[in-house]
Each structure stands twice: as C-alpha cells, then as structure tokens.
Amino acid sequence: MVDLVANKVHDEQRQGEAFAPFANDVNQYNKKFYIESYGCQMNFSDSEIVASILQTEGFGATRNYEEADLVLLNTCSIREKAEQTVRKRLTEFRKIKEAKPGMLVGVLGCMAERLKSKFLEEEKLVDIVVGPDAYRTLPVLIEEAETGQKSVNVLLSREETYADISPVRLDSNGVTAFISIMRGCNNMCSFCVVPFTRGRERSRDAHSIINEAQDLFDRGYKEVTLLGQNVDSYYWIDEANDEMVTFAKLLEKVALVSPQLRVRFSTSHPKDITDEVLFTMAKYENICNYIHLPLQSGSTRVLQLMNRTYTREWYKAKVNRIREIIPDCGISSDIIAGFCTEEEQDHEDTLGIMQSSAYDMSYMFFYSERPGTLAARRYKDDIPEEIKKRRLKEIVDLQGKLSYESNKKDVGKTFKVLIEGNSKKSETEWKGRNSQNKMIVFPKGNYNYNIGDYAFVKVADFTQATLIGEVVI
Ligand code: 5AD
Ligand code: SF4
C-alpha cells in the first residue's frame, strides 16, 4: 500500500524521509557511526539523543555509511509500509556488511521494540536491537556485539525521559530544533501501535526543557518545537517551587526564554487541548499560531471504534474555539481512510469535517492493521483495498483544494518569516516559515538578511505547498 500525503513541504518536516547526519568534526573520534531515521519527529529527536550517547563513547557521526563502524536504523512501525521500507534498507546493508564484516548494524526505535529478538532471527545480519527507552545501554550493547554476540535491550521504562542528555543536533540548519518534552502515550487509540512500542506516558523535568531551550537560543537557534505524542497531557510537579507545570505553563516558560525564540509544539489530542493552552498561545507573539489537531475520522461511530474519546461535534467545537481565541491559527490534521467497518456515510462525514475545519494541510493514510493493537484484536480489517484507495484519493483531493484555498487567502497579507535557508530552487531566494507553519519563498534582493533572521514578507503568489512573496520594509 502507498501512503499518500498532499503537502511535500510539511511531509518532509514530519513524516520524514530517512536522513543521515553530517558532522564536520568526525575525524576527532576513533570510531564512526551512521544513523538513518524513519517516521515521526520523535524518532529524529531520539536519534540526536543516541548521537550524544555515542559521542561520549568516542563515536563521531558520518554521512557516509561506507566508512562507518556502526550503522543504525531508527525505525518506525506506525504502518506496514514503514516497516517494509526499513526491511528493504536492511537488505541493502546486509550486502554492504558482507563486504565489510567488522561493521555492526543496529536497529533502534519502534520496530526494534515491536519485534524484539525476533529481529535477530529474521534479519540475521542485525547485531544490535534497542528499544526507545534503552538507548543509555547502547555502549554496553555495542561492546557485547563487538565480541560477536547479538545484543538486545527492549525494556520499556516508566521513568526514562533522557532529561539530562544534551542532544547532538544532526543535520541541523542551526535555526530550528526539536525538544522532546515527554515520552510514550496512554491513549490507546485502537489502530495505533505507539502505546506498545513507546510505553507509558511520562513527562520530562520542566527545568531541563527550559535549560535546553535557553542553550539552543544562546547558540543562535530561533525556533524550538516541543515534541510529545500527546503534548497537552504534559504534567510535571516542581517540588522545589511547589508548582504544578501543565503544558500551558510549560509553553509560557519556554516562550519567556526570549521573544526572539519561536515556540511550536506537536502533537495535540483534540480531547486534551485546553483553553489555557489557547489563551497562552494568544498571549505570546512568539508562540506560533499553528496547531496539529489530528481528526482521524469525522464519524462519531468510527471515532468510538478508534477509541478517540471525542465525537464529531466535540471536534468541530474545538476547531471553533481555536478560531475564536486565535483567529489566524493554522490547523492541520491526520486522517485515516478505510478504518474497520467504515461506510460511505462515515467517509462523507470525514470529508464534511475537513471542509468545515478548512485545514491548511493534512497527513492522510490508508488504515494499516498493526499486530497487537486493540483494532487488530477486536475488529476485522474489512474495507477492501480499492475502496480504501478511492476514499483516500477523495480525501487527498479535497485537502489539495483546501490547501489551495487557504494559500489563496494569504495573497496580499504580510507575514513575519523566520529564514531557514536558501530555497530549493535558487540561491538567490530565501525560504522560511510564517507563524502558521507555511513555507514562504522570496527573493533575497539587496537586503542583508541571513539564515536565522526574521523578515516581513508580503505574499504575491502561491502554489499548493508554498507561498511566494517579496520583502516589505
Ligand atoms: N494505519 C494508518 N494510519 C495510522 N496512524 C497511526 N496508526 C495507523 C494505522 N494503523 C496515523 C494516525 C496518526 C499518525 C501519526 O499516523 O493518523 O495520527
Ligand atoms: Fe497513537 Fe493515539 Fe497515542 Fe497518537 S494519541 S500516539 S494515535 S495512541
């Protein structure tokens, strides 16, 4: 099955292609590691924690797997296709390893957790299997693997947040960075494998989050994205100050690091995002007006089977509340086509909510049954593939129109844009995002802007994925 995603620009950001890091200082380390990350932003963020752990063990990052002593794949299990992609990649590394027997291959992340030692039986040339809560043990596992043993640690933890580990920023533009604020998920959406692969929800020490944001800002970063499977349920008790830090409080604390530091977050669950969060967003200019609010389905009946714990009316009311408190808020969504028992009317209900929510962007998927999930145990995956495909296409087409409409409305408006780098097409153009997370491209002209500067850009034109503008002074 093929996952269709409408917006390539955002797609790169979230459901990212694998990426390999680059480090200038690789020669100062005795050994080299190469890492590819698949799946969600959390995995990319975890790879930066892994890089930090490996660096203290004398491993430098390389972009060239041929010179690596250790190759790691940080994997995703969310849909079957994600797992197939990793398996294919492992087959390629198998060939490379045959020519270079000393090289160790490790599998990290959700697939490691899901398949555990089965991985070693299935993929004979994998040496190390490490789940998302066991990265601290990597040095020991590598040592074991170096002696020819296979090493596995897939223990999940109720406490691990890697709070004290300072991530090594991989492939960074030096402007935007992720900060992981919590791990795991307690929600048990029936289609989702994450609660099984990433374990129970736990929040990270708020001081360590703020320190990380401050440190990034001191090093020239201008935007942080606070990451969690369900950020709105962030909760941490600051015993020293007798304070309960909710997500809204945390957002405020990070926003106060500097008005020059933009703050984003992902992902929000519609049942948990509070007015307090929305008012905090409205209060601080540097908290970006953008919410990723996954719908999954627009049918109350299907939502119930999905165990999403809200109805279509609740979702609609939430979108209205967002628009009331933050009128210019960008909203995006995740949508699953063809969940178990989905009828034409349910699908129409999804299209209806997409229309009324007027999403700027969505990530859209076929339902893919995942072993062990509540849905796999309780319901039959009974929607034929052609129907799933047809419904997904209708969803993707509608999102295309909505994105187009949303961009069209921006023509003539001026946005504050954080410059992230050269546009893909030309070195004479900058690219950057506005508060609503839309990519804007504009000519550099004679202005003396640099990466990491803010520019005011008036939109003159657009495509489905990008706004095109000119600097205004
Ligand atoms: N099949 C299809 N899509 C899924 N997602 C999660 N599990 C599945 C599945 N089994 C989607 C949801 C979620 C996003 C990260 O991936 O839309 O929000
Ligand atoms: Fe999965 Fe639902 Fe948790 Fe998101 S909120 S990670 S979809 S269980």
Side-chain angles (χ1 to χ4, degrees):
M1 273 200 249
V2 191
D3 286 335
L4 294 179
V5 185
N7 189 328
K8 281 273 183 258
V9 174
H10 295 277
D11 182 34
E12 267 169 32
Q13 188 193 35
R14 190 156 172 272
Q15 311 286 332
E17 285 292 301
F19 90 135
F22 178 67
N24 293 323
D25 52 358
V26 66
N27 292 328
Q28 79 185 57
Y29 297 99
N30 318 332
K31 291 181 264 178
K32 290 169 191 162
F33 77 95
Y34 169 90
I35 189 165
E36 277 181 14
S37 307
Y38 295 82
C40 64
Q41 289 170 338
M42 195 59 108
N43 256 10
F44 285 72
S45 170
D46 278 0
S47 291
E48 299 187 332
I49 288 166
V50 167
S52 174
I53 293 168
L54 291 177
Q55 209 170 65
T56 49
E57 291 298 306
F59 279 92
T62 171
R63 212 173 214 174
N64 177 6
Y65 56 75
E66 280 166 4
E67 63 172 22
D69 304 284
L70 172 66
V71 166
L72 298 171
L73 298 192
N74 196 352
T75 62
C76 171
S77 283
I78 199 98
R79 284 168 291 275
E80 199 185 339
K81 173 156 177 279
E83 291 201 352
Q84 281 166 359
T85 310
V86 168
R87 284 188 193 283
K88 225 176 106 201
R89 195 69 179 131
L90 276 173
T91 322
E92 287 161 20
F93 281 116
R94 189 177 303 155
K95 286 196 199 107
I96 297 160
K97 194 172 152 86
E98 271 160 15
K100 199 182 164 194
M103 183 180 94
L104 296 178
V105 175
V107 176
L108 318 177
C110 289
M111 240 175 124
E113 192 62 50
R114 198 178 82 71
L115 294 165
K116 304 189 167 57
S117 48
K118 242 173 46 188
F119 231 117
L120 300 175
E121 293 150 30
E122 287 174 25
E123 307 283 342
K124 297 247 178 310
L125 288 172
V126 169
D127 306 287
I128 304 167
V129 176
V130 198
D133 286 346
Y135 296 144
R136 277 183 208 270
T137 63
L138 255 169
V140 179
L141 298 172
I142 293 167
E143 241 174 66
E144 268 175 27
E146 278 169 345
T147 67
Q149 302 170 61
K150 302 277 179 189
S151 358
V152 183
N153 188 348
V154 287
L155 285 178
L156 287 173
S157 156
R158 281 179 179 254
E159 285 95 36
E160 182 61 274
T161 59
Y162 301 110
D164 55 316
I165 294 181
S166 180
V168 169
R169 304 291 162 184
L170 298 170
D171 225 20
S172 167
N173 59 8
V175 179
T176 60
F178 296 130
I179 301 182
S180 165
I181 64 163
M182 59 198 298
R183 301 181 71 81
C185 184
N186 287 354
N187 279 328
M188 287 291 175
C189 299
S190 65
F191 51 79
C192 188
V193 77
V194 167
F196 304 96
T197 58
R198 288 190 161 266
R200 306 288 293 171
E201 190 174 282
R202 62 226 101 115
S203 297
R204 176 178 167 190
D205 176 335
H207 298 301
S208 74
I209 296 170
I210 294 147
N211 289 344
E212 192 172 324
Q214 181 70 57
D215 175 60
L216 284 164
F217 183 69
D218 294 344
R219 285 160 50 204
Y221 284 79
K222 292 289 179 57
E223 183 182 296
V224 293
T225 302
L226 309 182
L227 284 186
Q229 244 73 41
N230 182 14
V231 289
D232 300 283
S233 60
Y234 177 88
Y235 189 74
W236 191 75
I237 298 174
D238 184 353
E239 278 165 9
N241 297 312
D242 199 18
E243 188 190 6
M244 281 166 291
V245 186
T246 59
F247 180 58
K249 292 245 174 65
L250 181 74
L251 256 185
E252 179 165 51
K253 286 174 192 289
V254 179
L256 287 171
V257 164
S258 164
Q260 291 298 308
L261 181 70
R262 273 188 171 177
V263 188
R264 298 188 186 277
F265 56 90
S266 188
T267 295
S268 295
H269 194 300
K271 78 174 162 61
D272 291 324
I273 187 163
T274 58
D275 275 6
E276 197 195 355
V277 167
L278 300 179
F279 285 123
T280 308
M281 290 174 74
K283 183 171 169 193
Y284 293 94
E285 188 269 338
N286 57 326
I287 303 180
C288 290
N289 291 345
Y290 169 65
I291 299 176
H292 183 61
L293 195 72
L295 168 68
Q296 312 299 2
S297 167
S299 152
T300 297
R301 190 186 66 82
V302 173
L303 284 169
Q304 228 163 23
L305 295 181
M306 287 177 161
N307 200 24
R308 289 290 288 177
T309 72
Y310 54 84
T311 60
R312 69 185 263 115
E313 288 73 28
W314 168 280
Y315 187 93
K316 275 178 145 180
K318 205 43 106 179
V319 169
N320 289 343
R321 191 71 179 141
I322 293 170
R323 301 233 183 268
E324 199 180 313
I325 298 172
I326 314 163
D328 63 342
C329 196
I331 304 182
S332 60
S333 189
D334 288 349
I335 297 165
I336 299 177
F339 186 65
C340 315
T341 80
E342 187 187 74
E343 290 176 8
E344 262 343 283
Q345 185 52 51
D346 299 313
H347 170 59
E348 289 298 325
D349 286 349
T350 299
L351 296 174
I353 297 226
M354 289 178 70
Q355 288 270 16
S356 65
S357 306
Y359 296 129
D360 301 290
M361 197 268 296
S362 291
Y363 301 97
M364 297 155 283
F365 317 99
F366 293 107
Y367 172 56
S368 160
E369 188 179 81
R370 308 309 296 129
T373 55
L374 295 182
R377 282 184 272 150
R378 284 188 197 155
Y379 316 121
K380 193 161 172 266
D381 181 11
D382 58 353
I383 308 300
E385 192 164 323
E386 325 80 79
I387 297 185
K388 284 185 182 172
K389 271 189 181 163
R390 197 252 305 147
R391 289 184 188 160
L392 181 60
K393 183 172 182 310
E394 285 173 15
I395 288 169
V396 169
D397 288 349
L398 174 58
Q399 185 54 56
K401 284 187 198 135
L402 295 175
S403 300
Y404 183 91
E405 286 305 319
S406 161
N407 286 353
K408 195 166 145 191
K409 277 196 202 139
D410 288 338
V411 172
K413 290 186 193 163
T414 297
F415 293 106
K416 185 173 169 184
V417 175
L418 174 60
I419 299 175
E420 290 180 19
N422 288 336
S423 86
K424 265 192 198 151
K425 284 199 190 124
S426 164
E427 283 188 6
T428 65
E429 286 175 348
W430 290 121
K431 69 167 181 190
R433 282 168 207 278
N434 65 6
S435 175
Q436 291 76 5
N437 207 32
K438 284 191 185 172
M439 188 61 83
I440 304 192
V441 168
F442 58 97
K444 291 182 182 176
N446 293 325
Y447 305 104
N448 263 339
Y449 286 117
N450 282 309
I451 294 177
D453 286 344
Y454 290 102
F456 284 89
V457 179
K458 186 169 179 185
V459 177
D461 202 357
F462 65 97
T463 66
Q464 199 173 296
T466 313
L467 300 176
I468 300 157
E470 294 270 352
V471 170
V472 289
I473 299 290

